[in-house]
Amino acid sequence: MDKSTINIAILGAGISGLATAFWLNKQGFEITVLEARKEPGGSMVTRCEDGFLIDYGPNSGLETTPLIGQIVEHVGLKDEMVYALKKASKRYILKNNQLHALPTHPVAFLKTKLFSTKAKLRLLAEPFSKKSHEGYYQSISEFVKRRLGQEFLDYAVNPFVAGIFAGNPDNLSVKSALPKLYQLEELYGGLFKGFVLGAKERKKRAEQSKQSARMFSFKKGMQSFPEAIADKLGDNVRYNCKVERVVKSGSKFKVLYRYKDRSEEIIADIVLSTVPAYHAASIFDDWEGKLVDHLNTIYYPPVKVLYLGFRKETVGQVLDGFGFLIPEKENKTFLGAIWSSAIFPCRATDDMAAFTLFVGGARSPELCNNGNDRHINSVIKEFREIMKIDEDPVFIKEKMWPKAIPQYRLGYIEHERFFEQFESNNPGIFLSGNYRGGISVGDCVKNSELTVKRICDYIKRNATSRL
């Protein structure tokens, strides 16, 4: 079958939809990307104001796959790509109102005051920990406590999960949320052994672990990435198109959407949904009832992003790292902070220091319901104390994400199995996005190639069946 005669509708112009559209377009397929907003990017939102460059969504990505570089070069962004400054390599954890650098090598681990001597000795027992058979029904907390101990859970993994997922490790499935961590035990019998042997496997696949991969962004912020892909796709991307329903139309599909004040539709051979699960639920509400139940059950906690600018000379803390995360045990009103202007160039003027703070998440969603100045002032007060800042910020911006990051909770395998079964029962419909296969930028790019493979395999099977 001639590829140019196959019409593929892609719902959503976030990085998942655009990266998939990029590969399909490169292979010669006829694609149409429908985006409800007036710009591409999904949660990648960048704004410039008063000399500050603000990323309200992902502040960076990790170059875990060569696919990222391939797209960047093809869309003409290579000269715009920037890597994190060397001084930003440290990650800090708050303990007893003091910042401690997370140790990255054995000597630093032995010297750190972040963990007690008892906790350090406990790690030596990791290779002898027994393997669990709980699988998808084992939480991150259970997994880490069993293999590494309570203190490592409290002061390393708990803040890490809050920083990545805005989540609670007690509720997240280790096998779904952190599959590579789980596989170290599954494939190699332990974490330390797995780190060594797993590194050799990644080298063969030309991949980087998230621990060693280079952190990247762009001179004009993360939204530059989806914008460049969308520009390359040209008129294949349509904005202000709010998809309302997808219905079967013979052997094809009818995608019904609103463009401004009128109803429109397109006919497609294949439909790929990359919108968030809760949006997909409304689009496919006329299909299998269980699909809507699964999509609506996926929890997206609220997160408030608070962006602060201070005069650099008023900051007492040395800005030699990426930022800091806050363990739940520290009882603060925010999850952590990224030292934005210390990581990448051109985030603020030379005399300013810029920071991005995160409030709420699954740990304390109720804090996002309080939008008054008193709560914001409490967060700023705590942040100033931690960072030894003796003046008020000169610049404040905030953005609320009512439904921020999908939580891969205990039993998430039931969703994954159902989505696979749904696609099998409804040939030509594909579900993608960061609620399947990982939430990071790198995960979304890697999964875009896998999604294209699934689509191409379906086309080949369909073409063979017609012979």
Side-chain angles (χ1 to χ4, degrees), residues 149-170:
Q150 183 69 50
E151 196 171 323
F152 195 82
L153 169 64
D154 289 340
Y155 283 97
V157 175
N158 176 279
F160 168 80
V161 170
I164 300 299
F165 283 90
N168 187 330
D170 292 347

Side-chain angles (χ1 to χ4, degrees), residues 77-95:
L77 264 187
K78 189 173 182 179
D79 292 339
E80 292 291 309
M81 196 173 190
V82 292
Y83 292 97
L85 301 173
K86 289 185 178 180
K87 68 178 182 179
S89 60
K90 291 183 182 178
R91 305 295 200 274
Y92 286 94
I93 302 293
L94 186 71
K95 184 176 184 179

